[in-house]
Amino acid sequence: MNKKSSFMEYFSNNRNSFEKFYPSERYVFEKIFNNNNNSKVLDIGCACGGLYNALKQRYGNIDYTGIEINEIAANYASTTFPEIKVINS
């Protein structure tokens, strides 16, 4: 398995639901989303869009923009979640 497929496999199968985040990460998201009416997220290094998926499951619709330098991961994210904006450059 090459690095790209390894990368894709990891990020498409892990860290893609709220329960898979570390307790400290969940704590921060809870503080932000429960104490703020802001539903906008900028995810730098968004990989396959797993953070969007986790936050959408937990909080409903969010305005999500992901930035990813890996073209394969960016294409996967934008194809899997066509409702998000993914920037690849």
Side-chain angles (χ1 to χ4, degrees), residues 28-41 55 59 62:
V28 169
F29 288 125
E30 291 288 343
K31 294 280 283 183
I32 291 169
F33 282 93
N34 289 333
N35 294 327
N36 191 338
N37 290 329
N38 190 358
S39 61
K40 294 183 180 184
V41 174
L55 295 177
Y59 301 106
I62 60 171

Side-chain angles (χ1 to χ4, degrees), residues 5-42:
S5 62
S6 228
F7 170 84
M8 293 293 295
E9 185 175 329
Y10 177 79
F11 281 105
S12 62
N13 294 319
N14 296 285
R15 300 184 55 75
N16 56 0
S17 69
F18 197 76
E19 294 75 27
K20 291 183 180 179
F21 289 110
Y22 296 116
S24 59
E25 294 170 315
R26 290 192 305 263
Y27 175 81
V28 169
F29 288 125
E30 291 288 343
K31 294 280 283 183
I32 291 169
F33 282 93
N34 289 333
N35 294 327
N36 191 338
N37 290 329
N38 190 358
S39 61
K40 294 183 180 184
V41 174
L42 173 61

